[in-house]
Amino acid sequence: MDLGLQEKVIIVTGGAKGIGEAISRLITAEGGIAVIAGRSTADNEKTVNEIIAAGGKALAITAELGKVEDCKKVIAETVAAYGKIDGLVNNAGANDGVGLENGSPERFMASLQNNLSHYYNLAHFALPYLKATKGNIVNIGSKVASTGQGNTSGYAASKGAINALTREWAVEMLPYSIRINTVIPAEVWTPLYETWINSLPNPEEKLASITAKIPLEKRMTTSEEIANATVFLLSPRSSHTTGQIVYVDGGYTHLDRSIS
Ligand code: NAP
């Protein structure tokens, strides 16, 4: 199936690693241009160079996305390079363990700044360009918004807000034919996941107990499986899909995990 993404300019936040990297690679494999925005210049350039070596088109932009000025810069540099924006993948985030008991008001607000504010800020600054192209947005959320996890209030609040904003933005953007959708991962092996599991007392045991509870095939979701759904939603093949929250999680969130 031709997804119709040739020469489409799509910003992917956190597009150098993990899920974002898989999304960047798939966009470029489909003929699109991935603009990778993230905090590490070295990580961004490594992925961009690999994409270019494979015959794709990509651009690296260093940005600490919790800062409003950096979000503005991402949009300005993208437009300076390509003159348009066709899509935005809000993906960057981190499960930063700011709990109700173990956190603080300051750490809670900082978590919202790092996990939520840039989803809004980038969408806001990209809007004039998305209106011009009838572009669209895919957010990457988390099952934690539906299930809770414990000891991660800031991250859970951010992901819950992202689900709410998916519906809110989809309604507001109807007059412009800008579609907004969200993809929800549950358990995906990425650098973030590895860091999180290794922060727990018995990481190997914990990992085995988690994968045993994933209904479909008792395995983690791959980053490529998240990318497949995301890029399909970005593409004109999804032209009448908006306001949807799509769970790509092997049934983790909704199926009865006690049955097996
Ligand atoms: P990852 O491996 O850590 O990759 C995320 C990338 O985004 C990294 O390059 C990271 O930079 C960058 N980043 C994060 N916050 C940033 C910020 N505020 N400013 C600039 N760059 C930032 O993470 P992942 O596992 O692929 O997760 C991607 C998305 O999926 C996140 O929104 C996460 O919540 C969601 N998710 C993942 C899972 C999972 O199982 N992996 C499950 C549910 C939801 P650094 O490495 O330098 O920090």
Side-chain angles (χ1 to χ4, degrees):
M1 183 190 287
D2 178 3
L3 293 181
L5 288 174
Q6 289 82 4
E7 301 300 322
K8 301 282 185 198
V9 176
I10 298 164
I11 297 169
V12 185
T13 66
K17 274 161 77 172
I19 289 168
E21 178 182 355
I23 294 168
S24 302
R25 288 185 189 279
L26 187 54
I27 288 167
T28 57
E30 291 293 324
I33 300 166
V35 177
I36 294 177
R39 60 165 61 99
S40 164
T41 305
D43 289 345
N44 296 343
E45 286 180 353
K46 179 173 180 286
T47 302
V48 163
N49 289 337
E50 287 171 8
I51 287 171
I52 291 170
K57 293 182 186 169
L59 175 73
I61 301 177
T62 306
E64 183 58 61
L65 295 163
K67 296 182 180 165
V68 179
E69 288 312 309
D70 282 24
C71 291
K72 265 190 200 161
K73 183 181 86 165
V74 170
I75 302 305
E77 289 189 9
T78 304
V79 173
Y82 301 110
K84 64 166 187 165
I85 300 172
D86 296 291
L88 168 65
V89 181
N90 277 320
N91 163 74
N95 192 347
D96 50 8
V98 180
L100 183 59
E101 192 169 16
N102 297 325
S104 68
E106 294 74 23
R107 290 182 61 217
F108 180 72
M109 290 310 291
S111 179
L112 297 186
Q113 195 70 29
N114 282 322
N115 285 301
L116 174 62
S117 68
H118 51 90
Y119 278 53
Y120 176 89
N121 293 338
L122 286 166
H124 176 74
F125 295 130
L127 191 50
Y129 306 100
L130 294 174
K131 280 165 76 174
T133 57
K134 294 192 177 168
N136 73 99
I137 300 174
V138 179
N139 299 312
I140 305 299
S142 170
K143 55 104 175 149
V144 77
S146 305
T147 62
Q149 187 175 76
N151 199 33
T152 197
S153 298
Y155 181 70
S158 299
K159 295 304 189 184
I162 288 160
N163 286 358
L165 291 174
T166 303
R167 296 267 151 78
E168 165 63 14
W169 293 349
V171 172
E172 188 173 334
M173 293 297 107
L174 291 173
Y176 309 119
S177 297
I178 295 174
R179 300 180 298 103
I180 323 286
N181 294 289
T182 287
V183 170
I184 306 283
E187 309 292 338
V188 187
W189 190 259
T190 64
L192 171 69
Y193 197 97
E194 193 173 4
T195 305
W196 172 73
I197 202 108
N198 285 332
S199 73
L200 304 177
N202 299 306
E204 277 173 29
E205 245 172 67
K206 181 69 179 172
L207 183 61
S209 81
I210 290 170
T211 49
K213 290 190 191 110
I214 297 171
L216 187 62
E217 299 173 354
K218 309 288 180 219
R219 65 169 176 84
M220 310 276 290
T221 308
T222 66
S223 291
E224 289 71 25
E225 287 169 322
I226 303 294
N228 288 340
T230 303
V231 174
F232 182 68
L233 287 169
L234 279 170
S235 81
R237 293 287 183 175
S238 298
S239 50
H240 215 208
T241 302
T242 193
Q244 297 306 303
I245 296 171
V246 180
Y247 290 76
V248 182
D249 67 349
Y252 188 96
T253 309
H254 293 100
L255 302 189
D256 183 346
R257 279 175 263 143
S258 69
I259 52 175
S260 52

